[in-house]
Amino acid sequence: MANSYEYKTFNVKFQLKKKMDPKVDEGEIELHDRIKEHSSEGWRLISVIPITSGWGHTSHLLVTMERQG
């Protein structure tokens, strides 16, 4: 019998940092927090895809995680 997997995707808003801005982007913090939260529930990260809008600007990240079901 083959193993079955569940998949979960979510978006994380991404804001362009100003040049030389030392602050960490809030989206970066959210990304780390959500990955840690889901990892503790047995999910593992399989991809992070930047979604672009006009002029190639990254508007958000599409995150996909999986776990054996």
Side-chain angles (χ1 to χ4, degrees):
M1 183 172 146
N3 292 331
S4 63
Y5 290 89
E6 297 177 80
Y7 294 90
K8 174 184 287 209
T9 61
F10 58 89
N11 292 318
V12 175
K13 255 189 178 179
F14 184 87
Q15 287 195 296
L16 187 62
K17 294 183 195 179
K18 294 179 183 172
K19 191 172 186 176
M20 303 299 288
D21 186 354
K23 294 185 286 184
V24 175
D25 185 85
E26 288 180 20
E28 198 172 333
I29 294 169
E30 179 186 351
L31 177 63
H32 288 278
D33 288 348
R34 291 185 73 179
I35 289 172
K36 279 178 28 181
E37 174 190 336
H38 294 306
S39 293
S40 68
E41 298 169 354
W43 295 92
R44 70 182 187 125
L45 178 67
I46 58 171
S47 73
V48 177
I49 301 171
I51 305 300
T52 58
S53 58
W55 301 98
H57 168 76
T58 299
S59 62
H60 64 281
L61 303 173
L62 177 63
V63 181
T64 305
M65 300 185 82
E66 74 173 3
R67 73 176 170 187
Q68 200 162 2

